[in-house]
Structure formats: C-alpha cells, structure tokens
Amino acid sequence: MNDAFARIVSEISKLGMDWHRKTLLDNSLRNSGNGEQSIRNIHPINDAKVLVVSAGPSLYRHGMLARLKAVRATLCLVAIDGAYVQCLRAGVVPDFVMTLDPHPTRIVRWFGDPDFEANSAGDDYFVRQDLDEHFRADAAKRNAENIALVNMHRLVSLLICSTSPVNVAVRTSGMQRYWFAPLVDNPALPGSLTRRIAWITGLPSLNTGGTVGTAAIMFAHCILKAQDIAVIGMDLGYTADTPLERTQSWNMLKGRKDVVGLYPKVQHPQWGECYTDPTYHWYKQNLLVLLKSGGFSITNCTGGGALYGPHVECCELEKWARGSA
Amino acid sequence: MTDLLRGNFTPEHKVEADELKQDERAAFRKRALESISGSMVFVDDKLLYWDLQNE
C-alpha cells in the first residue's frame, strides 16, 4: 500500500462525518416518535446459523442465490437492502432486510422506486458499477418489477436505521419494521453524535463499520446472539477484469496521475488475485477491527474478493451451511 | 500590537498561499463524497452496540 492510498483511506471517515452529521440528525429527528418497534424487540436465535447476504457482483458471477436456495431451509437470512430484490427474484425470502444509508435519492431503488426517473437523472453511481447487471440492462422495466415484488412481500422484517431518508421511510411503511440508530462515535465523549441521536430517537445504537453489510453482521452478533455467522456477496474488491471506471471510487480518483497505484492488487489466500480501492479497503479494515473488538469470527463464503484476515474463515457456502466449516 | 502579530522577520522568499492546491483539495472532497455516499460514518472501533436505556 503506497502513501497516497493510505492517506485517502484515512480521510474517508472524517469526510463522511463532516458531510453526514446534519443529515443524520435531521433524518433521525423526522423518523423519531413513530411508535414502531426497535431492534430491542427482536429475540435472540442463539444456535441458528445466520447468513448475511451482501450485494457484491459475486452474487451473480458465482450463482450464489441459486446455491443459497438449496440450503436456505436451515438458515436465518439477513439481506442488505441492495441484495433484497435479487433474493426475491431468486425465490429466496430473507428473514430480515437491513437499510441504513441516508442518501436522499439512491437507496429507495432497492425497494422499487416510485420516482425512479427523477431520482436517477444525472447520477451514474449505479450505472457505472457492477452491482446488478439486469437492472443496468433495462432499468425502468426492472424498477417496475421490483416495486411489485417488494409490495408482495410486506411481511418481511425490515431493520431500518433512524437516519434513512424520507422516501425510504415512506416506501417501506407497510413492512414490519424494527428501528435502530447508528453508532458513529464514542457515546461517552462530550458532544457525541451517537448519544444525541439516541436521545432524540430513544433507539439502541448499532456500529455500522461504514457499510450496511458490516452493520448486518453486528446485528447478527449483538441482537440475534448468533454463534455462527457467514457472509456471501461481500466482495470488498474487484475481479481483475473489472475496468477501473466501474469501481466505487472512480469518481474520487479519476484524473490523478497516480490513479493506477490507488487500486492495489490483493492476493486472496483461497480465491486468488483481485484488486481493491480506498473505499473497499476502508470497509474491510473497519470490519476486521470490529471483529477483533467483539472477539468473534465470521465465515466468508463469497467465493471471491478481498475479504480475509484474522477472525475471517473462508469456505464454500454449502460446506458452511452443512455444518462442516 | 499589529506589528507583533505580523511577525518580526522578513521572509527570504516571497510567500504566497497555494490557491490551486486548495481548489484541488475541495474538488477531491466533492468527488470523494460522491464515491462514499453509500457509506455511513465510522469512528468508534471498540463498541459494537450501545443502548442509552441500559445506562
């Protein structure tokens, strides 16, 4: 990792805090006092295996959802918002779906966006990335189908962050919702944003590690009290053939002379070479630190990507699901 | 007092604020926010869960 890469990674957290502070407070204030349940009301499942389904491109590259369908019966599933409709399309209904991102126009698409055209105008965030190839091919038609699919599954439990934007709050209002607040700093310190949000909302706070996939893992550990947690679709890296322009960090890094050096190669000990970028590296670092702090491990069944390290075992989904990880 | 605040030596070279770098930094910040808009902030690395009700 070169100095420029390390410097960018170290700046991401502060940028996020500076930018999100007002949004986090405003959204939490607006979403508070709705009288709905919180994640406190969810009972531990203890000995069940919990699988977190993230939305990385390995989901379709490795046919993970078809494979998941074959072992679904034995598992408790927590899908992140970006993987939810993909699961439904594959005939897999998760037990929980999680959403936390405060972005005002992007996130609602994961539930089928009634204002899709307006919310997509001038935004290439999803078009560039390799998250859902079918959606890219025919976005408007796909969006209409997603609206119908989500409407058909209103009984799925939604884990929703107090910081969610108003369009997500409205769009999911028919679902069985359990609210939580984000743990974004140390609540014991003066001026803590976490404490302020908790005071406004009355909600318990969950550490997100910067991304919804990590928040889902924290939910499985802290609320479900799961002893055996695995993930799929958590690539946190790009296959070697992914063009740089289709990475999450491209808009941040393009135009720099040292751009190629900001996408270092990663040699996964089990699944071979891929490359990463500052944003994905930051997510990975955060997750590894939280696993260490929590003193627990997860199993990564993604089948590719950059996630490995202390407290992360890697194996195939079927092997883990059948109990021989 | 004003003289004291101004400093008590003459720089060897003329010093000018590097406006271009400031612009570059602002542009980078804007681009970075576009890229990480899918992310929540993350600062605390010790506490996984906290409930004000338990205090």
Side-chain angles (χ1 to χ4, degrees):
Chain A
M1 189 194 304
N2 62 43
D3 288 349
F5 183 88
R7 209 164 34 246
I8 291 170
V9 170
S10 71
E11 283 183 6
I12 289 176
S13 186
K14 186 172 184 312
L15 285 173
M17 182 66 112
D18 289 348
W19 193 53
H20 282 309
R21 174 176 281 272
K22 184 173 185 314
T23 308
L24 300 185
L25 281 169
D26 289 349
N27 288 0
S28 294
L29 190 60
R30 196 196 56 249
N31 287 326
S32 64
N34 54 33
E36 294 181 41
Q37 299 189 86
S38 79
I39 56 173
R40 277 190 211 104
N41 302 102
I42 295 173
H43 298 293
I45 55 158
N46 297 316
D47 54 350
K49 287 171 175 283
V50 175
L51 181 67
V52 171
V53 185
S54 278
S58 59
L59 271 194
Y60 70 81
R61 281 177 183 255
H62 299 301
M64 294 305 296
L65 293 175
R67 291 167 59 186
L68 170 58
K69 198 172 177 182
V71 296
R72 161 71 177 101
T74 59
L75 308 175
C76 173
L77 291 189
V78 184
I80 69 152
D81 47 9
Y84 180 39
V85 285
Q86 293 188 71
C87 286
L88 296 180
R89 282 176 181 276
V92 175
V93 182
D95 298 287
F96 298 98
V97 181
M98 177 175 270
T99 189
L100 62 80
D101 195 305
H103 197 280
T105 57
R106 289 175 180 166
I107 304 308
V108 66
R109 79 153 51 194
W110 301 132
F111 301 96
D113 181 0
D115 299 313
F116 177 71
E117 208 170 307
N119 284 335
S120 310
D123 187 357
D124 71 349
Y125 183 81
F126 291 107
V127 176
R128 276 190 310 102
Q129 293 184 68
D130 197 16
L131 299 174
D132 183 346
E133 56 171 356
H134 301 295
F135 202 102
R136 251 197 337 267
D138 192 351
K141 179 170 175 278
R142 193 82 171 175
N143 181 63
E145 292 169 1
N146 290 350
I147 289 175
L149 259 181
V150 171
N151 289 348
M152 279 169 56
H153 292 87
R154 287 195 176 277
L155 294 180
V156 172
S157 295
L158 179 70
L159 312 165
I160 180 167
C161 191
S162 65
T163 56
S164 293
V166 64
N167 52 10
V168 170
V170 170
R171 175 73 185 114
T172 62
S173 59
M175 295 178 80
Q176 177 74 39
R177 297 196 289 199
Y178 298 90
W179 292 82
F180 66 97
L183 199 157
V184 295
D185 58 10
N186 185 346
L189 294 178
S192 161
L193 182 59
T194 300
R195 179 172 288 276
R196 197 161 166 205
I197 293 174
W199 187 81
I200 289 170
T201 61
L203 295 170
S205 311
L206 200 59
N207 202 321
T208 70
T211 183
V212 62
T214 298
I217 293 170
M218 298 303 121
F219 166 77
H221 176 73
C222 300
I223 303 299
L224 297 180
K225 308 287 184 196
Q227 305 295 312
D228 194 351
I229 302 168
V231 298
I232 57 173
M234 191 170 261
D235 300 44
L236 302 184
Y238 307 95
T239 54
D241 62 348
T242 307
L244 297 185
E245 309 85 67
R246 287 177 66 173
T247 63
Q248 186 169 159
S249 296
W250 177 247
N251 280 343
M252 170 168 63
L253 306 178
K254 66 182 178 186
R256 290 178 61 125
K257 286 177 189 161
D258 59 350
V259 64
V260 175
L262 301 175
Y263 288 93
K265 285 181 182 171
V266 175
Q267 187 66 37
H268 192 288
Q270 194 152 338
W271 295 318
E273 188 176 282
C274 65
Y275 70 91
T276 190
D277 68 11
T279 312
Y280 277 170
H281 184 76
W282 182 68
Y283 293 156
K284 176 181 163 180
Q285 264 188 336
N286 297 346
L287 174 56
L288 293 178
V289 165
L290 288 173
L291 292 175
K292 186 180 176 190
S293 293
F296 69 103
S297 296
I298 60 168
T299 304
N300 180 12
C301 303
T302 296
L307 178 57
Y308 69 93
H311 300 278
V312 180
E313 301 292 321
C314 298
C315 77
E316 296 302 315
L317 174 64
E318 293 78 5
K319 188 177 176 191
W320 171 77
R322 291 180 186 128
S324 55
Chain B
M1 186 66 178
T2 311
D3 287 343
L4 282 174
L5 288 174
R6 196 180 292 141
N8 57 5
F9 67 96
T10 305
E12 202 168 314
H13 303 287
K14 190 179 177 189
V15 179
E16 290 178 353
D18 194 342
E19 292 301 329
L20 184 63
K21 281 189 178 168
Q22 287 291 340
D23 288 349
E24 281 175 351
R25 184 168 174 74
F28 169 76
R29 186 175 186 280
K30 184 174 179 297
R31 293 196 305 271
L33 292 175
E34 283 170 14
S35 291
I36 61 167
S37 65
S39 310
M40 293 286 291
V41 290
F42 170 79
V43 177
D44 195 84
D45 61 1
K46 297 285 188 293
L47 206 54
L48 277 54
Y49 178 78
W50 175 74
D51 194 340
L52 187 60
Q53 275 193 2
N54 296 337
E55 284 201 330

